[in-house]
Amino acid sequence: MILKKIFLPCALTLSLIFVGACAKKSTPSAADSSAHAAKIKLGFLVKQPEEPWFQSEWRGAEKAAAKYSFEVVKLGVPDGEKVLAAIDNLAALGAQGFVICTPDVRLGPAIVAKANQAGLKVIAVDDQFVGPDGKFIATVPYLGMSATKIGESVGTALVAEMKHRNWSASDTAACVVTFEELDTAHQRTDGAIVALKATAFAGNHIYKTAQKTTDIPGSFDAANILLTQHPEVKHWLICALNDTGVLGAVRATEGRGFSASDVIGIGINGTDCIDELRKSKPTGFFGSMRVSAITEGFRTSEMLYRWVKDGVTPPSDTRTPGIFMTRDNLEQVLKDDQ
Ligand code: FCA
């Protein structure tokens, strides 16, 4: 938390310095070469720049920038004020559009209004904009993971591993760390619950616990409450909206004396658990549904570039798949997704 508090302002300050530096560069004199003036500039704004997921998306955006020779401006936007300031900065830089994972999906209408005013094109990545009526804003192209399906595969994989370990359903329970206010998060954990209920595990002991913040401390606290409420449980299955959600809950089980052999945690993203899965001894964090953040960053940037340069409107809704990554196939999966 402290780290986050320090990091975010720093990241923003650095970004603004970067923006400032670019702003100077972007006011070319008439004598400037047309090649320099013609380089398209696109923003890539993310809500949690400290998360490896978003750093990987930025890597993907940079790959697209190198391939198509445009300039990408990467900004961390942890709250609404920073989002609106970032859009102003992009406009001042002469950018023509941006991809964004917004810190709050309800900012969607304000983001669209501001972007329209500034003549910038917008693509939403990961977290889809929600309008005042509570419905998704379908006019903004969106790319994100197949949340329900990926959640279902988490549930199925949890039960497969539980069976493999011969745990009895009577003393096993599922800890589902939720963040219901974000649709993609809700779809993932609901998908996991549907799959858990469909098995011999039969959903007898499926407990939801809400995280207040989508980081390790947030899920640690949420899981701790649940563990206190259920001292009878001997084996825990853990799922959440993403890797950090599961990591926090696994840390909570460790704090309560559960060993790795009594816990099966399966995350989503596959980016924020790499150090965990590389630990010399296994922990309760068993695996993750890896989605390619690099590909998501690349594809959204590529779509935006084509939209700006050639007028090709991106598809309104694009979904990306996940694959199951554990300690066994980790290195190969990472090698295949560079
Ligand atoms: C949300 C989560 C991220 C990542 C992304 C695809 O934005 O907060 O961790 O899972 O969806």
Side-chain angles (χ1 to χ4, degrees), residues 204-259:
N204 288 334
H205 309 290
I206 298 175
Y207 305 122
K208 286 196 202 182
T209 183
Q211 58 183 155
K212 291 203 180 93
T213 51
T214 54
D215 50 15
I216 292 182
S219 63
F220 179 88
D221 290 347
N224 240 334
I225 294 168
L226 197 60
L227 296 175
T228 312
Q229 288 166 344
H230 295 285
E232 75 285 0
V233 176
K234 298 286 172 281
H235 301 112
W236 282 103
L237 307 177
I238 299 173
C239 59
L241 96 107
N242 59 13
D243 291 338
T244 53
V246 173
L247 280 172
V250 167
R251 294 291 92 89
T253 59
E254 289 164 354
R256 299 251 161 185
F258 285 89
S259 64

Side-chain angles (χ1 to χ4, degrees), residues 47-48 51 53-54 57 101-102 125-127 142 144-145 179 182 184-185 188 214 241-244 268-269 271-272 291 293 296:
K47 63 177 182 180
Q48 286 177 284
E51 241 189 35
W53 170 266
F54 294 108
E57 283 191 336
C101 179
T102 172
V125 70
D126 303 326
D127 300 356
Y142 169 72
M145 67 171 72
F179 191 69
L182 177 61
T184 181
R188 296 175 206 179
T214 54
L241 96 107
N242 59 13
D243 291 338
T244 53
I268 293 176
N269 278 3
T271 42
D272 315 58
V291 179
E296 290 202 0

Side-chain angles (χ1 to χ4, degrees), residues 72 171 292:
V72 61
D171 62 7
S292 177

